[in-house]
Amino acid sequence: MIELVQIKPSPGELIALRGREWVVLPSVDDDLVLLKPLGGSDAEITGIYLPLNAPEDKWKKAVFPEPQLSDINDFETAKLLFDASRLSFRNAAGPFRCMGKLSFRPRSYQILPLVMALQLPVIRLLIADDVGIGKTIEALIILKEMMERGEVKRFAVICQPHLCEQWQSELKDKLDIHAEIIRSGTISAIERKLIGSESVFKQLPYQVISIDYVKNDKRKPSFLTDCPEFIIVDEAHTAALPKGSSSVSQQQRYHLLHQLAKDDNRHLLLLTATPHSGKNEEFRSLFGLLKGEFETLDFDNLLPAKRKQLAKHFIQRKRENIRRWLNQDTPFPDRDTSEIGYKLHPAYSNFFKKAQAFARGLTADAESSKGAKGKYWAALALLRGIMSSPAAGLEMLVNKIQKQQAEDDERIADSNPVIERLEDESDAIQAELLAQANLNTTEQQELADLYIALLELNSANVDRKAETALTIIKDWIFEGFQPIIFCKYIATASYLGAYFKGKFSDAVDVQVITSMIPDEQRKEKIAAMSAAPRHLLIATDCLSEGINLQDQFNAVLHYDLPWNPNRLEQREGRVDRFGQTAPVVKTALIWGEDNPIDAIVLKVLIRKVRDIQKATGVSISLGEDNHSIMDAVLMEVLLEPEKALQHVQMEMDFGDESYQLQLTNELETAKKRAENLRSIFAHESIKPELIENDLKAVDEAIGDMQSVEHIVTSGVRHLSGEVKTFGKGHKAYLQNLPAHLRKLLPGEQTAQISFDSPTPPGYHYVGRNHPFTEQLCQYLLSLAFEEKNGYQRIARASVIQTESVKIKTTIIQFRVRNVIKEVMSKMENISEEMYLWGFEGSTPEGKILEYSECKNLLFSASSSKQLSLERQQDELRYQLDLFAGKKEHFLKLAEERANVLLDAHGRFKALVGGRRYEAVYPILPPDILGIYVFIPNPKI
């Protein structure tokens, strides 16, 4: 009889309490015992407060029961026991603590930012990987690892308002963490649920916060006072502070982050695909958030020591970097890119010439007139709006006509606002430029005449740009693509929406999304479109950043040419990204062949930038002087449009060689700058094999996706269900499964599931941490100890005759728990590992088998003859006695596994630095789950 134990049990021990067995978990509180049911989930973890001394909380030491003769059953189910046990582990045996808690298996390149983060005593890291590589996943891995290490209890994700739901969903789906969204539309409901006078930022441990909600002076002090210790900032470039910035909103964003960064102990993770907009001041302002001294660096002339220091805090990889990573297949689709020209209808062409003449008139007095800059920008904005669509042009004209009183332009900046920044806050910000220009009486009358002329054209069928777009979209939809059309102006998007709805009727679901639609409704409209077999989304650039659209769309049409080349990549990155299942993504841009502005933007900006990207693998950003260059080029367009168009079409010579030379020099400078940054920050010097080997070890310890597929398909069949290959995935028939399992998959009776990520459209992803996988594993494990609801038991013991062995062989399936203790710390962690050990023959001198040999035999052997129960019992009884004589060797193996784990942590420490581990010691004896005997076929 085991004595009653009164002292606090040690971590890793097995105890009996309240009618079941529990594993003792580490606890830094001497008065608190944390317990997890043996074979249970993390959701069942409970605690015992020792000072209460409750009688029902007295425990006894327990020993896991070894298999008996009565446990003999069908050998095929032994494979279920092995995988169900591995997939139940959440505390993986290995240096990465978070892997057992992730609902996805990261690719090795996505672990590199985690390694970098762990190298820093306080995480200050800027992740600037290319659009679509997986910055969100990389950030979530870092967050979860820090939480599992006990170093982070509270966190906040700071993002733009329209990205809040996406971050909340990512945290729930990938980490099983429910975070509250904090912004204007949710704060009242949150505060009603809270108790006490502490701020919402203090009471909520997990937060997704709109940066525009928390940046103002009213809310910022409270947030700074109660801010969590770990901060993720998405689309961080929108909070950079370029020199001479006139954006009050962006200044507020920057100052918020600047004050957050003043706490040297706060972890700060910045995410952006466009860290360098071409202005070094802006780039340095982001780096200054990581470390104050970085804000004054000259990135073009860095000393080796400073380059090495910088590289610890910044990682930027393009797809070329990822494609070379261990020569692995990447999930990125091929991109089919085209440029499609159109020519204006004669009537619209005549109108455009009149608009050009009006624009030339506005800029004729550019050297002497007050407000000349405002008129120049107004002229460009008007031409751009007219060439976007009749609706956009009309909106600009009518807004100015209705604004009779001339006002001074208070928005004049040092650089041309028509050449937009990626972080422009309004879709139609440039439409306001004309309305704010000071026009004289003659100019106002000319403007009114243009309005009347364009109004007549708008009612006529003269829009060849829209016709060209219709032809492209029809072809794409016929080929099976689901397109998005990106427009610059809200008026253009609405205009195209009506146009396409009229052309497609009910054959295609056409939806329009602009910044005029609230964030919640945008998400609902996009989700609803998935139900339509053919759908078309028309959107402004409010959807060009941060939003993941790869599940619903796989083609992008640029209806309006952006005057910032990086905007193209941002738009296309919404669909061409990690998770896109289509093998090919279509992208196209429309440009006016007889529009000199389009021709210059295409040839000068877009084509040259893309040529450099193809040659170097680097997406460049134009630098400090690009606005002045483009001002000069576009001024040439306004003054002599026919000459400019001819030169662009023939030889890209603008009549003044200094423009060409200046632009060429600027592009070359941008190219060299980008290559210089890549050489510092690509991190190709880190050996990827070190990371990949540890990931493979984790896969073996806790089960990879093949293990998930095996346990789900075989487990469902064991419970009298069925799983059949169906299209690109599987169809599970669940009618005969226990009710609590059926409810965990959509449909309850049948479900289309996939074990692949990215997941094919129409299928439900089932990973190792999916509730169905978790509950199925626990149910199967319970069947190893008792029959339930008439389902066959899982074999803890079996004896088969098989051609897979030449000599009698015995395999032991067992579970090892190791306690890991850190030096100079109370922190302890428990790792779990499923292991196999075996021996040949029927004598003590039989050969010992390694893990790989045992696993291969376990999963490849099949019974060639049904042995009687009596024969199985006799064979098993003898091998159990033989195993008893080998226990010393067996226990020594458990200690060896602890040393292997310690060595893995040692290698990891050499890679990332940080804490050392004092010891890794096993909890003995290991839990023996199964014993299986393989008898060779008799010789004939």
Side-chain angles (χ1 to χ4, degrees), residues 414-679:
D414 292 332
S415 58
N416 190 339
V418 182
I419 305 174
E420 73 267 15
R421 300 171 54 80
L422 285 181
E423 59 271 19
D424 281 345
E425 296 169 14
S426 170
D427 304 70
I429 190 171
Q430 295 173 41
E432 302 170 9
L433 296 172
L434 179 63
Q436 296 194 16
N438 297 325
L439 306 183
N440 60 38
T441 303
T442 301
E443 290 168 341
Q444 289 182 19
Q445 182 57 51
E446 291 175 345
L447 204 68
D449 293 341
L450 286 175
Y451 172 75
I452 293 172
L454 185 55
L455 193 63
E456 293 176 354
L457 287 175
N458 191 40
S459 60
N461 187 21
V462 296
D463 192 347
R464 288 185 175 170
K465 183 180 181 183
E467 292 174 359
T468 302
L470 178 64
T471 300
I472 297 169
I473 295 300
K474 279 185 174 179
D475 289 343
W476 284 359
I477 290 177
F478 177 77
E479 294 170 11
F481 288 91
Q482 310 288 5
I484 303 175
I485 300 177
F486 276 108
C487 309
K488 175 62 185 172
Y489 299 102
I490 294 173
T492 299
S494 300
Y495 164 82
L496 279 183
Y499 177 81
F500 275 94
K501 287 177 182 177
K503 297 296 183 181
F504 284 133
S505 185
D506 295 331
V508 178
D509 180 18
V510 179
Q511 297 292 336
V512 178
I513 293 180
T514 71
S515 59
M516 302 297 290
I517 299 175
D519 300 328
E520 296 84 355
Q521 292 183 26
R522 295 182 203 176
K523 182 180 178 181
E524 291 172 0
K525 291 186 75 169
I526 292 171
M529 293 182 75
S530 300
R534 295 186 293 180
H535 47 263
L536 168 66
L537 175 61
I538 301 169
T540 57
D541 284 319
C542 69
L543 290 186
S544 70
E545 283 190 310
I547 298 292
N548 297 338
L549 301 174
Q550 71 272 16
D551 292 337
Q552 295 93 350
F553 304 96
N554 50 22
V556 171
L557 176 63
H558 304 282
Y559 194 76
D560 295 323
L561 288 187
W563 289 10
N564 186 323
N566 287 333
R567 179 67 77 187
L568 290 172
E569 191 64 28
Q570 288 280 21
R571 291 173 174 178
E572 294 170 3
R574 298 311 98 217
V575 301
D576 184 5
R577 61 189 298 109
F578 184 84
Q580 174 61 257
T581 58
V584 175
V585 165
K586 289 265 193 182
T587 69
L589 58 83
I590 298 176
W591 69 288
E593 295 176 356
D594 47 3
N595 176 354
I597 298 178
D598 267 11
I600 286 178
V601 169
L602 177 62
K603 289 200 171 188
V604 174
L605 286 178
I606 295 174
R607 284 184 181 169
K608 281 195 166 290
V609 168
R610 281 186 163 175
D611 286 345
I612 292 174
Q613 182 177 5
K614 288 179 182 178
T616 66
V618 176
S619 295
I620 71 166
S621 299
L622 296 182
E624 307 282 351
D625 299 325
N626 82 88
H627 285 185
S628 61
I629 296 171
M630 289 305 298
D631 279 349
V633 173
L634 293 175
M635 179 62 75
E636 193 83 358
V637 171
L638 289 176
L639 295 177
E640 297 183 90
E642 297 299 331
K643 180 181 177 181
L645 181 61
Q646 180 183 12
H647 287 153
V648 168
Q649 290 175 340
M650 294 179 61
E651 53 191 9
M652 210 189 81
D653 179 358
F654 306 109
D656 186 339
E657 293 183 359
S658 64
Y659 295 160
Q660 175 76 19
L661 180 61
Q662 192 176 1
L663 179 62
T664 300
N665 290 340
E666 174 61 28
L667 287 168
E668 187 62 29
T669 299
K671 175 184 174 182
K672 290 179 179 178
R673 181 184 297 118
E675 290 177 330
N676 180 47
L677 290 175
R678 187 180 73 171
S679 69

Side-chain angles (χ1 to χ4, degrees), residues 283-317:
F283 192 48
R284 284 195 292 263
S285 74
L286 284 179
F287 261 92
L289 298 174
L290 305 175
K291 204 168 185 178
E293 65 188 71
F294 292 162
E295 196 161 358
T296 60
L297 292 177
D298 179 1
F299 289 101
D300 296 326
N301 299 286
L302 289 175
L303 295 174
K306 190 59 67 175
R307 290 165 65 98
K308 185 176 181 180
Q309 185 182 10
L310 272 173
K312 294 179 180 180
H313 297 270
F314 182 80
I315 179 168
Q316 182 178 35
R317 296 170 295 178

